[in-house]
């Protein structure tokens, strides 16, 4: 199984956008320091990629001004952070921003290697290049906003800690009441970065991405290979790398696989290569929900700055790219009718149903990790989760009434603590629910694989797949790399 990144430049830029959106969904105040330290490096990588794109006009180009300005702002932030002893000081960077940065670096290397082959005399090439610039800037815009959200949450945590300890909190008069020192100055500077990125995107984001080139499905076995590699890397990570950050990525990717599988099953039924079912899609949907719920709980255990195993992150990125190549049209999800016409659909349906079938075993392995009595996580996140689970009735309430599950001193010092009893209870319950849901989805997927009708080998390319006559149905070839 190759470890080489086979994604196109467009797929890499889309993945940066995806990771930025994921970051924005679950960022919190404890991430603020790591995000701030990683921001200048990410902007520098984006500027390098921007400069490497072909077709730049000589002299000063108005299209480049926002990126030039953003790079200058990020450089001053980096200079201010260098040698700084006050918050955020020296410390770890953010692994997700580091992953986005490395993706931008890899994309720039590809541009330098193959950029000379781009036919700049064609209008399609110019539209695709403009879409690439827009993707780069949109990823920076989302990331800058995520840093701002983390800074705001960090200020709110500082104010709440001060109030709980009886100290006076001096509230700020701009941005929000939580822009307290030393957060306020960094909010000003990151807001300037966010506004600069927004100035480029204003009123042209959708139009620019409409010209993005779509990579055709040239290798029908791509999803097979991606899912096989993902299965291998997920099991290796669960054996060797038991950090919650790796388990978080595994559960999130399994949720994504379930969601994409529902789309492919719907398209396969439309194409007539899979019999419609009232059981399969609801079972997969329930499994996806269980994986997502489990991911949110493992996310509480991942401390800021936690590293993700690189082969696992690369395998997850390839799974996202392989699915998107079949399920999407540029920025939007393709209709079942459009997906039904794509030549790689029969192989993709077989691959995704096998992944759903195998997910039940992976759920058992993840559940075993939840039984570890030595699991630890950030004090503040675990305190919130414990109180929320008890109040919502998900965890057994204590007999003695209201309980402080995590020491305020541990929260203030941002320590890693053992899981409070309510968190352990609900994590195990969520793991058991994932096992039950994936077992049901696995049984349904196994049943429907027998009714999968592969496309005829003599079908006209681009036409709707037709089932082979009963009794002489040809087997779908399985890539050697996908066999275990």
């Amino acid at each position: 199984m190759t470890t080489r990144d086979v994604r196109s430049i467009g797929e890499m830029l889309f993945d940066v956008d995806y990771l930025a959106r994921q970051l924005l969904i679950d960022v919190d105040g404890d991430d603020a320091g790591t995000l701030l330290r990683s921001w200048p490096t990410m902007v520098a990588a984006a500027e390098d990629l921007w400069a490497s794109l072909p077709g730049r006009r000589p002299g000063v180009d108005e299209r480049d001004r926002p990126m030039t300005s953003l790079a200058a702002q990020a450089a001053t932030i980096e200079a201010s952070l260098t040698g700084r002893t006050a918050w955020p000081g020296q410390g770890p960077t953010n692994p997700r921003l580091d992953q986005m940065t490395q993706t931008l670096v890899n994309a720039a290397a590809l541009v330098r290697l193959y950029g000379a082959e781009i036919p700049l005399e064609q209008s399609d090439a110019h539209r695709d290049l403009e879409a690439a610039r827009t993707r780069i800037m949109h990823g920076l815009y989302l990331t800058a906003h995520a840093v701002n959200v983390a800074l705001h949450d960090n200020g709110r945590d500082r104010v709440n800690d001060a109030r709980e300890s009886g100290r006076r909190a001096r509230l700020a008069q701009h941005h929000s009441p939580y822009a307290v020192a030393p957060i306020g100055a960094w909010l000003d500077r990151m807001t300037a970065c966010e506004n600069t990125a927004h100035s480029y995107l204003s009123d042209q984001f959708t139009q620019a991405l409409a010209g993005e080139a779509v990579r055709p499905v040239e290798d029908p076995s791509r999803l097979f290979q991606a899912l096989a590699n993902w299965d291998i890397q997920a099991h290796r990570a669960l054996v060797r790398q038991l950090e919650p950050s790796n388990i978080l990525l595994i559960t999130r990717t399994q949720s994504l696989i379930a969601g994409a599988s529902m789309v492919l099953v719907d398209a396969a039924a439309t194409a007539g290569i899979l019999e419609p079912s009232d059981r399969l899609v609801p079972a997969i949907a329930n499994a996806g929900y269980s994986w997502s719920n489990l991911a949110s709980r493992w996310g509480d255990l991942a401390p800021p700055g936690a590293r993700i195993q690189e082969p696992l992150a690369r395998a997850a990125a390839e799974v996202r790219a392989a699915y998107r190549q079949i399920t999407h049209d540029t920025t939007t999800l393709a209709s079942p009718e459009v997906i039904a016409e794509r030549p790689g659909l029969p192989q993709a349906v077989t691959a995704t149903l096998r992944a759903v079938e195998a997910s039940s075993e992976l759920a058992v392995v993840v559940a075993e990790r939840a039984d570890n009595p030595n699991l630890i996580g950030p004090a503040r996140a675990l305190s919130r989760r414990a109180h929320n689970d008890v109040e919502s009735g998900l965890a057994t309430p204590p007999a003695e009434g209201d309980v402080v599950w995590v020491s305020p001193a541990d929260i203030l010092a941002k320590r890693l603590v053992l899981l409070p009893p309510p968190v352990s209870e609900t994590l195990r319950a969520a793991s058991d629910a994932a096992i039950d849901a994936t077992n049901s989805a696995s049984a349904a997927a196994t049943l429907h694989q027998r009714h999968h009708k592969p496309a005829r080998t003599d079908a006209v390319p681009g036409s709707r797949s037709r089932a082979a006559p009963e009794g002489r149905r040809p087997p779908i070839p399985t890539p050697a790399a996908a066999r275990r």
Side-chain angles (χ1 to χ4, degrees), residues 417-468:
V417 299
L418 290 171
L419 270 60
V423 178
S424 297
E425 178 185 349
T426 53
L427 179 61
R428 291 189 178 96
S431 299
D432 292 340
I435 291 175
D436 292 340
T438 54
N439 279 338
S440 298
S442 177
T446 301
L447 176 64
H448 282 78
Q449 281 192 76
R450 301 171 186 171
H451 303 288
H452 184 196
K453 304 172 185 177
R456 289 171 57 99
T457 56
D458 59 346
V460 178
S463 65
R464 177 166 298 188
S465 302
R466 294 174 293 170

Side-chain angles (χ1 to χ4, degrees), residues 109-160:
L110 280 180
V111 172
R112 290 192 174 92
L113 191 60
Y114 299 107
E117 301 175 10
I118 296 177
L120 295 177
E121 70 280 0
Q122 298 180 8
S123 59
D124 288 350
H126 285 280
R127 286 195 294 268
D128 191 41
L129 286 167
E130 187 55 38
R133 296 186 185 93
T134 302
R135 281 241 181 252
I136 295 170
M137 192 63 75
H138 193 251
L140 293 175
Y141 170 68
L142 291 175
T143 306
H145 187 58
V147 179
N148 267 328
V149 171
L151 288 169
H152 176 273
D153 287 355
N154 187 284
R156 182 189 59 192
D157 293 340
R158 290 171 183 268
V159 170
N160 291 338

Side-chain angles (χ1 to χ4, degrees), residues 265-307:
V265 166
D266 189 19
T270 300
I273 61 176
L274 191 68
E275 292 185 4
S277 168
D278 295 332
R279 178 186 174 192
L280 181 59
V281 170
I284 296 176
N286 190 35
Y289 171 79
S290 297
W291 281 117
S292 180
N293 180 45
L294 196 55
S296 71
R297 296 184 176 279
W298 278 103
D300 291 335
L301 277 61
R307 298 287 120 181

